[in-house]
Amino acid sequence: MAIKLRNEYGPVLHMPTSKENLKEKGPQNASDSYGHKQYPANQGQEVEYLVTGTHPYPPGPGVALTADTKIQRMPSESAAQSLAVALPSSQARVDANRSAPAGGPDRSQPAGMTLAVMEGGNAKNSALMAKKAPTMPKPQWHPPWKLYRVISGHLGWVRCIAVEPGNQWFVTGSADRTIKIWDLASGKLKLSLTGHISTVRGVIVSSRSPYLFSCGEDKQVKCWDLEYNKVIRHYHGHLSAVYGLDLHPTIDVLVTCSRDSTARIWDVRTKASVHTLSGHTNAVATVRCQAAEPQIITGSHDTTIRLWDLVAGKTRVTLTNHKKSVRAVVLHPKHYTFASGSPDNIKQWKFPDGSFIQNLSGHNAIINTLTVNSDGVLVSGADNGTMHLWDWRTGYNFQRVHAAVQPGSLDSESGIFACAFDQSESRLLTAEADKTIKVYREDDTATEETHPVSWKPEIIKRKRF
């Protein structure tokens, strides 16, 4: 029995030392082939240790730590002996020992199993329990969205879109150098604004004043007075094309981002440049503002996301997890979280420090735009004309859309450059490369029975980064 214990169940008998010893020897701890830390053998004491679960912390939305990941007592020698009697040597363990690397005993355990030894009072029981792997919780059911209107009028790629706060009309900017205002209910053209001399890349309507702001590849940032339908201010300073802009929700501040690798903060009224946010090493593709800290978020072609201090004009946090250009960032309207889109995947983060939450993988294309509504529907639009709809909490992809290009357009002209929900969140508008604006609505006839969630509680394959 002693030989059997020593040869085959050495790892069970030699469990971690006490927490005090672990703190003293923390940096010197080795790790096994699975990446789990190993600690020096304990000399005959029964102490408690902490099991951290089978996946990196945090486990992800809706995934609770099981009872197996709580503090458990180290098994005594008698408990280990009873375990040795209950588990005869298997061919799998023999093969594992045979293929184990030289330099130490084999510490592997059968996949999906964990040792849980419970001791209560004088009675000591041991059991080998199947440990449940972390699974994706069942996502919320969302009705599918369907195309119900296509709006034409632009003569070039439609690059940006914004809905006004009153939900009566929306505005688009295009590669034909015009800004067009459309009636939201009927889809009819109300007004065309000319003034830019190159592609219009960003538009936004102020909720605090009757102003429309636009920016473009002509390096210009303009403020339009919608009572007179003319430009009343220019914001000069960017050295190259201006790719995006956003307004602060509570103060009269405008933020723009540019191909010159900077973002700039402007005083809306005085046209003064308050700060130049420097730090990115490539074009800044997207910028977002919020009232809470951090107040400014930028995504860049240098693959990083930066969270900025608005008052100091300096970087608070730089997120380097993406491997490719970050062209889209969206803030959740209710939760203190945001998402970023890149050709490698979509990532979700938690404010204020940019803590990583989870990856949303599957949209294998250049993602140009992201938008989310308060119901938790995240929409990603890509360069190849595909649009994926996700459940925000679980990251479940419940619908994929690839609308046909308009007659006369090439298949290569199917690209989605921008998308936005209207203020009621009942309509989804997309700006596309076939020179059209497409309007989507939820399918009222769909039910959970007609469109079931094809969800299986599979093991979550989460990446650390």
Side-chain angles (χ1 to χ4, degrees):
M1 178 62 70
I3 294 173
K4 187 174 184 179
L5 284 172
R6 184 172 64 254
N7 291 343
E8 299 189 83
Y9 301 99
V12 177
L13 294 175
H14 302 299
M15 298 299 283
T17 61
S18 65
K19 293 178 182 176
E20 290 75 12
N21 293 337
L22 294 185
K23 291 178 182 177
E24 293 173 4
K25 299 184 180 182
Q28 301 173 358
N29 295 335
S31 62
D32 64 5
S33 59
Y34 292 94
H36 301 128
K37 291 184 177 180
Q38 300 293 338
Y39 300 95
N42 184 38
Q43 301 299 324
Q45 298 179 351
E46 291 190 10
V47 293
E48 294 182 341
Y49 67 98
L50 187 64
V51 181
T52 57
T54 59
H55 48 76
Y57 182 84
V63 182
L65 296 178
T66 63
D68 294 332
T69 58
K70 295 180 180 178
I71 293 177
Q72 302 172 351
R73 282 193 173 276
M74 184 180 115
S76 62
E77 186 173 351
S78 59
Q81 288 178 357
S82 62
L83 176 68
V85 173
L87 293 177
S89 176
S90 65
Q91 187 63 36
R93 181 171 292 278
V94 173
D95 294 342
N97 285 331
R98 198 173 290 163
S99 60
D106 173 46
R107 294 176 179 268
S108 62
Q109 293 182 4
M113 306 296 286
T114 185
L115 176 67
V117 180
M118 308 298 180
E119 297 184 16
N122 296 327
K124 296 181 180 180
N125 300 316
S126 66
L128 189 69
M129 299 166 56
K131 183 174 182 178
K132 292 183 179 179
T135 58
M136 177 191 288
K138 186 173 183 179
Q140 177 186 346
W141 182 82
H142 301 282
W145 293 70
K146 63 179 181 180
L147 178 68
Y148 92 103
R149 177 174 288 159
V150 178
I151 302 172
S152 301
H154 276 295
L155 302 178
W157 289 356
V158 188
R159 297 303 303 248
C160 50
I161 193 164
V163 182
E164 64 100 9
N167 212 38
Q168 299 298 310
W169 46 270
F170 67 94
V171 57
T172 56
S174 168
D176 63 10
R177 301 171 294 180
T178 66
I179 298 168
K180 292 184 182 290
I181 295 176
W182 313 81
D183 184 72
L184 186 59
S186 65
K188 293 181 179 178
L189 180 65
K190 292 167 68 75
L191 184 68
S192 290
L193 300 173
T194 58
H196 281 282
I197 58 174
S198 188
T199 301
V200 181
R201 292 293 294 265
V203 289
I204 189 168
V205 186
S206 173
S207 59
R208 298 167 53 85
S209 55
Y211 294 155
L212 163 68
F213 296 87
S214 65
C215 65
E217 294 181 4
D218 52 9
K219 311 177 191 176
Q220 296 185 31
V221 182
K222 297 176 182 285
C223 174
W224 304 77
D225 188 324
L226 295 176
E227 293 178 347
Y228 298 96
N229 296 329
K230 66 178 184 180
V231 179
I232 59 171
R233 295 188 188 94
H234 285 91
Y235 302 90
H236 296 289
H238 279 298
L239 305 177
S240 190
V242 186
Y243 283 165
L245 77 174
D246 201 11
L247 285 166
H248 195 282
T250 57
I251 57 178
D252 289 330
V253 162
L254 172 70
V255 185
T256 57
C257 62
S258 169
R259 194 170 62 192
D260 63 12
S261 305
T262 68
R264 286 180 179 259
I265 303 171
W266 312 88
D267 187 312
V268 168
R269 297 179 180 178
T270 66
K271 303 183 289 185
S273 179
V274 180
H275 287 300
T276 299
L277 306 180
S278 303
H280 284 293
T281 58
N282 205 330
V284 185
T286 181
V287 63
R288 287 291 176 266
C289 276
Q290 64 175 357
E293 296 287 339
Q295 294 180 328
I296 298 173
I297 302 97
T298 57
S300 169
H301 288 292
D302 65 8
T303 75
T304 67
I305 301 162
R306 286 179 180 255
L307 313 182
W308 301 85
D309 186 322
L310 174 62
V311 177
K314 295 181 180 179
T315 303
R316 287 179 46 150
V317 183
T318 302
L319 307 176
T320 60
N321 300 20
H322 279 293
K323 301 298 183 290
K324 296 185 179 180
S325 301
V326 180
R327 297 169 187 250
V329 167
V330 65
L331 279 57
H332 195 283
K334 290 183 175 180
H335 304 159
Y336 200 35
T337 56
F338 72 103
S340 58
S342 174
D344 52 9
N345 50 37
I346 301 167
K347 295 180 186 292
Q348 287 180 343
W349 315 85
K350 185 177 180 181
F351 287 124
D353 300 319
S355 305
F356 175 73
I357 299 176
Q358 65 178 347
N359 280 328
L360 279 62
S361 300
H363 202 170
N364 301 317
I366 298 172
I367 295 173
N368 289 320
T369 178
L370 293 172
T371 188
V372 63
N373 65 12
S374 56
D375 195 34
V377 176
L378 173 68
V379 180
S380 57
D383 237 18
N384 60 1
T386 59
M387 185 169 66
H388 287 202
L389 291 90
W390 314 76
D391 178 55
W392 179 276
R393 183 176 64 92
T394 61
Y396 170 70
N397 182 204
F398 69 88
Q399 187 181 3
R400 300 184 179 188
V401 179
H402 193 174
V405 297
Q406 293 306 292
S409 297
L410 302 173
D411 288 339
S412 60
E413 289 184 311
S414 64
I416 300 175
F417 294 117
C419 62
F421 287 101
D422 72 344
Q423 303 299 337
S424 68
E425 299 182 341
S426 62
R427 284 166 285 201
L428 172 65
L429 301 96
T430 61
E432 308 209 0
D434 61 0
K435 307 172 189 175
T436 66
I437 301 110
K438 293 185 173 68
V439 186
Y440 293 83
R441 267 184 171 168
E442 287 183 343
D443 189 350
D444 297 332
T445 62
T447 64
E448 206 161 347
E449 287 73 31
T450 60
H451 292 78
V453 176
S454 59
W455 159 85
K456 296 178 182 178
E458 297 174 346
I459 297 175
I460 296 177
K461 296 180 180 178
R462 296 189 187 279
K463 295 181 182 178
R464 184 67 177 177
F465 297 109

